[in-house]
């Protein structure tokens, strides 16, 4: 592993597989009642968050606590960053007190700047570019359910956003067949698709603006909100553009009968997904959310145990 986890692009397939093994072990041990495992005794994780979070924040805080460490929530609103202290200066200060820093920010460049100037590992807890912890954990969930990732057909129905970008890199690293369907104007950036193709020239990552076609024979259908944090001003335009991209009973028909329905959450019920599908028998969204805890424990140990 590199010093930081900023994108799935930077982790090799071997480390991703190791992370899955560790996550599985943490999960089994927790289910057996072994909650506290002293691998990171006395380590402190800072969480510098510029945007709201429920799952990522709680799972990271509990993960470090159950590994023997502790966490400190740092709302960027209450830091001197708000009054003009530079990210580079703040990164050097964080490194004096903390053992790792998880960051949720608007601009991915902020993460790069923090990581460059911090001597401690920096973990991307979501930026406008990517959401690596989410997708590492999601791939662990798919592997648990289907038994493999290679050759699995995953249809992502939604915007070419941070979650989609991480799915693209995850697919390239793990051999998932990824079919992305987005309305025109909201597709993933061509340079990200090209980059993934360069990482794994054999990877099958395709795009279409026909969601019904995209989900044909899918093993997994994944969706995310139409309006991500920071895009609120585009709500009306996006809601119009995405109206035929709702994951509902009719849309999932062409998929395999036992298709897994995934959503990183929070969901906007009645927009990108209906309650019928989100709460339906094929939905694994709660296991997905639970697995963030186990996968992030593995991420913390891999980055901090060095
Ligand atoms: N999926 C996810 O990252 O959720 P939160 O925004 O609640 O952390
Ligand atoms: N794409 C969403 C993901 C939330 C977990 C957002 O950035 O708001």
């Amino acid at each position: 592993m590199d010093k930081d986890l900023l994108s799935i692009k930077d982790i090799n397939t071997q480390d991703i597989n190791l992370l899955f093994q560790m996550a599985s072990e943490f999960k089994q041990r927790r289910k057996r009642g072994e909650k506290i495992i002293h691998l990171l005794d006395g380590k402190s994780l800072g969480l510098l968050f510029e945007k709201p979070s429920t799952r990522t924040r709680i799972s990271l805080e509990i993960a470090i606590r159950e590994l023997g460490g502790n966490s400190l929530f740092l709302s960027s609103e209450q830091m001197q960053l708000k009054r003009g202290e530079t990210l580079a200066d703040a990164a050097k200060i964080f490194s004096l007190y903390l053992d790792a820093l998880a960051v949720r920010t608007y601009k991915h460049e902020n993460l790069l700047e923090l990581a460059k100037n911090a001597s401690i590992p920096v973990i991307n807890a979501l930026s406008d570019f990517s959401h690596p912890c989410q997708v590492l954990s999601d791939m662990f969930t798919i592997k648990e359910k289907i038994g493999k990732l290679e050759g699995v057909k995953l249809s992502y129905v939604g915007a070419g956003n941070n979650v989609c970008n991480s799915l693209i890199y995850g697919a390239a690293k793990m051999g998932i067949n990824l079919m992305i369907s987005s309305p025109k104007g909201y597709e993933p950036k061509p340079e990200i698709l090209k980059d993934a193709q360069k990482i794994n020239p054999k990877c099958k990552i395709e795009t279409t603006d026909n969601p019904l076609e995209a989900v044909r024979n899918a093993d997994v259908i994944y969706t995310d909100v139409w309006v991500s944090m920071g895009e609120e001003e585009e709500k009306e335009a996006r809601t119009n553009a995405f109206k035929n991209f709702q994951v509902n009973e009719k849309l999932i028909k062409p998929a395999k009968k036992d298709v897994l329905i995934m959503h990183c959450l929070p969901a906007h019920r009645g927009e990108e997904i209906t309650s019928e599908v989100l709460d339906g028998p094929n939905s694994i969204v709660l296991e997905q959310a639970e697995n963030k805890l186990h996968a992030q424990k593995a991420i913390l140990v891999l980055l901090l145990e060095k």
Side-chain angles (χ1 to χ4, degrees):
M1 286 277 268
D2 291 349
K3 173 178 87 69
D4 309 297
L5 171 55
L6 305 181
S7 163
I8 293 181
K9 185 182 162 166
D10 309 324
I11 321 176
N12 63 42
T13 306
Q14 204 183 344
D15 281 340
I16 297 176
N17 280 319
L18 174 62
L19 193 147
F20 293 163
Q21 272 171 28
M22 291 169 66
S24 170
E25 173 105 353
F26 286 131
K27 184 168 182 172
Q28 288 166 38
R29 289 178 71 170
R30 197 173 196 267
K31 300 261 178 233
R32 289 200 301 264
E34 277 180 70
K35 240 185 177 179
I36 311 294
I37 301 171
H38 294 275
L39 286 173
L40 298 180
D41 273 345
K43 303 275 187 192
S44 298
L45 171 71
L47 291 104
L48 180 67
F49 277 44
E50 234 180 2
K51 298 176 178 179
S53 169
T54 299
R55 283 143 287 266
T56 309
R57 174 182 173 180
I58 299 175
S59 54
L60 277 169
E61 292 206 25
I62 299 298
I64 187 84
R65 193 181 305 172
E66 291 184 0
L67 290 165
N70 59 78
S71 66
L72 204 60
F73 186 74
L74 309 165
S75 161
S76 51
E77 281 292 296
Q78 285 161 26
M79 297 281 114
Q80 295 287 10
L81 287 164
K82 179 89 194 303
R83 295 180 55 250
E85 184 165 33
T86 67
L87 286 165
D89 286 346
K92 289 172 195 148
I93 302 305
F94 291 139
S95 306
L96 299 174
Y97 306 131
L98 300 166
D99 297 289
L101 182 70
V103 182
R104 174 166 284 201
T105 184
Y106 286 96
K107 292 196 196 114
H108 192 71
E109 294 76 50
N110 292 344
L111 264 163
L112 300 177
E113 180 73 358
L114 283 164
K116 191 174 96 186
N117 288 284
S119 57
I120 54 172
V122 174
I123 301 166
N124 181 354
L126 182 146
S127 68
D128 56 354
F129 167 63
S130 67
H131 198 3
C133 294
Q134 178 69 45
V135 170
L136 286 168
S137 165
D138 293 339
M139 292 195 298
F140 166 63
T141 306
I142 298 169
K143 192 156 183 211
E144 251 191 336
K145 289 275 166 197
I146 303 184
K148 60 172 189 173
L149 289 170
E150 189 147 11
V152 164
K153 178 170 177 182
L154 191 159
S155 299
Y156 173 85
V157 181
N161 61 14
N162 42 13
V163 170
C164 179
N165 291 343
S166 288
L167 283 169
I168 292 171
Y169 285 115
K173 297 274 171 168
M174 304 310 288
I176 296 171
N177 293 342
L178 179 63
M179 177 62 104
I180 300 163
S181 62
S182 320
K184 287 205 166 69
Y186 296 97
E187 303 96 340
K189 290 202 174 88
E191 56 267 32
I192 293 175
L193 294 167
K194 261 194 226 139
D195 202 24
Q197 208 71 45
K198 217 165 77 191
I199 291 172
N200 176 3
K202 286 200 218 129
C203 74
K204 250 181 97 183
I205 303 178
E206 294 167 87
T207 56
T208 171
D209 61 1
N210 182 341
L212 276 166
E213 192 46 48
V215 302
R216 188 167 307 287
N217 283 324
D219 297 297
V220 182
I221 296 176
Y222 195 125
T223 189
D224 184 16
V225 290
W226 294 340
V227 183
S228 280
M229 290 180 273
E231 295 172 344
E232 288 77 9
E233 280 176 12
E234 300 171 35
K235 185 170 171 39
E236 205 184 318
R238 284 178 169 265
T239 307
N240 280 329
F242 281 92
K243 62 178 185 296
N244 296 326
F245 288 74
Q246 183 187 66
V247 175
N248 53 35
E249 288 290 346
K250 185 167 164 245
L251 184 97
I252 69 172
K253 276 246 154 63
K256 289 194 177 145
K257 231 176 124 49
D258 55 355
V259 63
L260 303 174
I261 304 295
M262 299 183 77
H263 191 313
C264 55
L265 303 179
H268 288 179
R269 290 170 181 265
E271 290 183 27
E272 76 277 1
I273 191 162
T274 58
S275 287
E276 215 179 358
V277 173
L278 190 71
D279 304 327
N282 296 43
S283 171
I284 56 163
V285 298
L286 292 180
E287 278 146 291
Q288 238 185 301
E290 183 200 320
N291 279 342
K292 286 178 72 111
L293 171 62
H294 313 302
Q296 282 163 182
K297 277 184 184 165
I299 291 170
L300 289 171
V301 171
L302 283 173
L303 289 173
L304 281 161
E305 246 201 343
K306 281 184 195 155

